[in-house]
């Protein structure tokens, strides 16, 4: 049975969304401001899309409504993760005007973080002792909300900010082998790169596993939204890095960092694998000669096997086991994570839609 910690010690914030299980096995809920608060509502929308059952729709509406307050939270770049996975899927499936207005307000809030001299949206405000203006590869995922806002409003400001961010990230986040750094720190006055760091990877020069997945998914999505060939090439190069890497395991569920020192005795990250597979189903449509669908199928088959997919009623009722939050911080190592489940469900939907054609 699952124990629920309703109130985190010292916090009066309402806990609204399941994220993972804690070290003691208890179910961990987060407040709306957590970067992962939108994934569970998003999963519920995918369940509704798949089943057409109003039960899932009403649950999706309930969990989505709980994070509406984030539309004015300009303190982080995670707006896309939170709002586009939840309200974005909700709007796609229901055309609810209230959702549309919430998403537009969210996009307007997100672009307040754009720094024109750098050409990027600032990711974090924390760790000011280390970084002046940190931009993380994860931020590529938040651009989808801005491209959506451009399509809805016709206002090119959203398109231009997203595209500039993606271009600046190609310039500064990637190494010659198309692996990416996690954190690029910029000088706010002249826009120059100050540091190339990691936060959740093995070291500054390593390729953090989920970071490569965020990049692959991000540039595939940017190509969908802009049809700029530079973004398609970037996605293809990132896929090449991942799938020609000597550490790639037979089951294609990658290690938490491509340069982790004790491979093969290092944790895998199912969340990175799920995000990668979902991206590959889309990329397959743009580069049909590269067999990305077959690769995605192989990853999904692994994730769907008993090695990664939990028995119903175990694993805190999350779908997948064996994800990693942050090894350097000693947090969430080899656990379920809501974003692994979200991208797994998204991947299943994309697989189904591809096979329907
Ligand atoms: N965006 C934070 C992470 O991927 O862990």
């Amino acid at each position: 049975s699952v124990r629920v910690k309703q109130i985190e010690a010292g916090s009066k914030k309402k806990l609204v969304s399941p994220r993972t299980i804690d070290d003691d096995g208890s179910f961990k809920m987060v407040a709306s401001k957590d970067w992962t608060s939108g994934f569970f509502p998003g999963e519920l929308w995918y369940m509704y899309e798949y089943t057409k059952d109003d039960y899932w729709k009403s649950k999706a509406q309930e969990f989505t409504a709980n994070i509406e307050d984030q539309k004015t939270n300009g303190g982080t770049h995670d707006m896309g993760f939170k709002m586009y996975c939840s309200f974005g899927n909700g709007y796609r499936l229901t055309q609810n005007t209230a959702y549309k207005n919430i998403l537009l307000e969210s996009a307007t809030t997100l672009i307040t973080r754009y720094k024109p001299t750098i050409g990027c949206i600032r990711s974090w405000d924390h760790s000011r002792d280390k970084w002046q203006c940190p931009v993380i590869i994860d931020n590529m995922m938040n651009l989808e909300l801005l491209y959506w806002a451009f399509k809805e409003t016709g206002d090119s400001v959203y398109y231009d900010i997203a595209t500039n961010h993606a271009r600046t990230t190609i310039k500064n986040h990637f190494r010659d082998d198309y692996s990416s750094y996690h954190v690029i720190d910029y000088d706010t006055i002249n826009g120059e790169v100050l540091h190339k760091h990691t936060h959740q990877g093995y070291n500054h020069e390593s390729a953090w596993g989920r970071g490569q997945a965020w990049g692959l998914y991000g540039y595939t999505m940017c190509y969908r939204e802009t049809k700029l060939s530079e973004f398609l090439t970037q996605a293809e190069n990132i896929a090449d890095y991942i799938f020609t890497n000597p550490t790639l395991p037979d089951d294609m569920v990658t290690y938490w960092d491509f340069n982790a020192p004790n491979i093969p005795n290092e944790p895998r990250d199912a969340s990175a694998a799920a995000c990668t597979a979902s991206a590959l189903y889309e990329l397959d449509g743009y580069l049909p000669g590269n067999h990305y669908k077959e690769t995605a199928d192989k990853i999904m088959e692994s994730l769907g096997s008993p090695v990664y997919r939990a028995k119903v009623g175990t694993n805190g009722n999350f779908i997948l086991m064996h994800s990693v939050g942050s090894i350097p911080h000693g947090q969430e190592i080899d656990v379920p994570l809501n974003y692994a489940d979200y991208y797994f469900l998204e991947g299943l939907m994309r697989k189904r839609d591809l096979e329907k054609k």
Side-chain angles (χ1 to χ4, degrees):
S1 77
V2 173
R3 282 165 291 147
V4 181
K5 273 190 196 162
Q6 272 304 340
I7 303 291
E8 277 176 342
S11 162
K12 288 196 194 73
K13 281 258 179 287
K14 201 175 154 209
L15 302 178
V16 294
S17 205
R19 169 170 168 147
T20 183
I21 49 177
D22 259 339
D23 291 344
D24 63 2
S26 62
F27 189 56
K28 188 167 176 214
M29 300 279 288
V30 291
S32 61
K33 74 171 190 356
D34 188 89
W35 80 273
T36 69
S37 68
F39 293 115
F40 184 68
E43 288 177 61
L44 297 171
W45 285 116
Y46 284 132
M47 290 303 294
Y48 170 58
E49 183 177 13
Y50 183 72
T51 61
K52 310 274 189 302
D53 182 338
D54 280 341
Y55 168 80
W56 294 109
K57 185 182 185 183
S58 69
K59 289 291 167 196
Q61 286 168 329
E62 183 188 324
F63 279 85
T64 296
N66 281 339
I67 66 171
E68 180 183 339
D69 66 338
Q70 290 307 297
K71 67 188 178 187
T72 54
N73 179 0
T76 150
H77 71 130
D78 287 317
M79 192 68 98
F81 282 123
K82 286 187 271 193
M83 305 306 262
Y84 202 69
C85 297
S86 56
F87 288 94
N89 278 308
Y91 182 60
R92 181 175 63 81
L93 295 170
T94 66
Q95 298 296 300
N96 178 341
T97 316
Y99 287 1
K100 175 177 156 174
N101 293 335
I102 290 164
L103 286 164
L104 288 175
E105 194 170 351
S106 304
T108 308
T109 302
L110 177 56
I111 62 173
T112 61
R113 301 184 65 76
Y114 182 66
K115 307 288 171 214
T117 31
I118 297 168
C120 272
I121 294 164
R122 180 185 183 123
S123 292
W124 294 325
D125 291 348
H126 64 72
S127 307
R128 283 168 190 261
D129 53 327
K130 272 194 277 189
W131 305 310
Q132 241 186 65
C133 183
V135 177
I136 65 174
I137 189 67
D138 322 30
N139 205 332
M140 290 300 302
M141 301 295 284
N142 294 311
L143 306 182
E144 194 168 4
L145 172 68
L146 300 183
Y147 284 122
W148 172 87
F150 165 65
K151 286 184 292 190
E152 284 293 329
T153 63
D155 188 341
S156 60
V157 69
Y158 300 109
Y159 181 98
D160 291 343
I161 287 178
T163 303
N164 288 349
H165 183 103
R167 285 183 164 147
T168 306
T169 300
I170 288 183
K171 203 166 112 216
N172 296 323
H173 256 87
F174 288 86
R175 306 183 183 92
D176 290 346
D177 63 0
Y178 297 100
S179 68
S180 66
Y181 291 92
H182 186 190
V183 187
I184 301 295
D185 179 32
Y186 291 96
D187 185 309
T188 47
I189 309 287
N190 60 25
E192 280 173 16
V193 172
L194 295 174
H195 301 103
K196 297 191 172 200
H197 278 177
T198 198
H199 186 62
Q200 284 155 263
Y202 171 59
N203 65 25
H204 293 329
E205 284 308 318
S206 76
W208 173 49
R210 195 160 52 253
Q212 315 313 302
W214 294 146
L216 176 69
Y217 190 113
Y219 283 102
T220 303
M221 175 276 296
C222 286
Y223 176 69
R224 178 214 309 149
E225 299 299 336
T226 64
K227 294 297 169 212
L228 290 167
S229 63
E230 65 207 90
F231 295 155
L232 185 60
T233 305
Q234 192 69 14
E236 187 176 19
N237 286 332
I238 298 168
D240 282 352
Y241 173 79
I242 296 171
F243 293 104
T244 62
N245 196 281
T247 69
L248 186 72
D250 284 344
D251 69 3
M252 297 211 180
V253 177
T254 45
Y255 293 94
W256 70 278
D257 190 301
F258 286 86
N259 304 102
N262 301 312
I263 291 174
N265 301 315
E266 293 278 359
R268 308 295 187 90
D269 181 10
S271 75
C275 178
T276 298
S278 183
L280 288 178
Y281 284 126
E282 177 168 15
L283 193 56
D284 187 77
Y286 310 140
L287 293 167
N290 290 15
H291 304 287
Y292 291 138
K293 179 174 183 300
E294 285 86 337
T295 306
D297 284 345
K298 177 91 210 287
I299 297 170
M300 294 297 278
E301 218 171 274
S302 299
L303 294 178
S305 79
V307 179
Y308 295 94
R309 186 164 55 91
K311 281 207 183 94
V312 173
T314 66
N315 198 40
N317 288 323
F318 290 90
I319 304 169
L320 298 180
M321 305 179 278
H322 305 311
S323 289
V324 164
S326 181
I327 288 198
H329 301 91
Q331 279 164 9
E332 302 180 326
I333 300 168
D334 196 17
V335 293
L337 289 168
N338 61 9
Y339 40 100
D341 288 2
Y342 175 87
Y343 290 105
F344 182 63
L345 290 183
E346 184 184 83
L348 288 173
M349 294 300 287
R350 288 180 171 188
K351 176 175 165 62
R352 181 191 72 156
D353 291 345
L354 268 183
E355 290 172 0
K356 261 200 224 155
K357 282 190 189 150

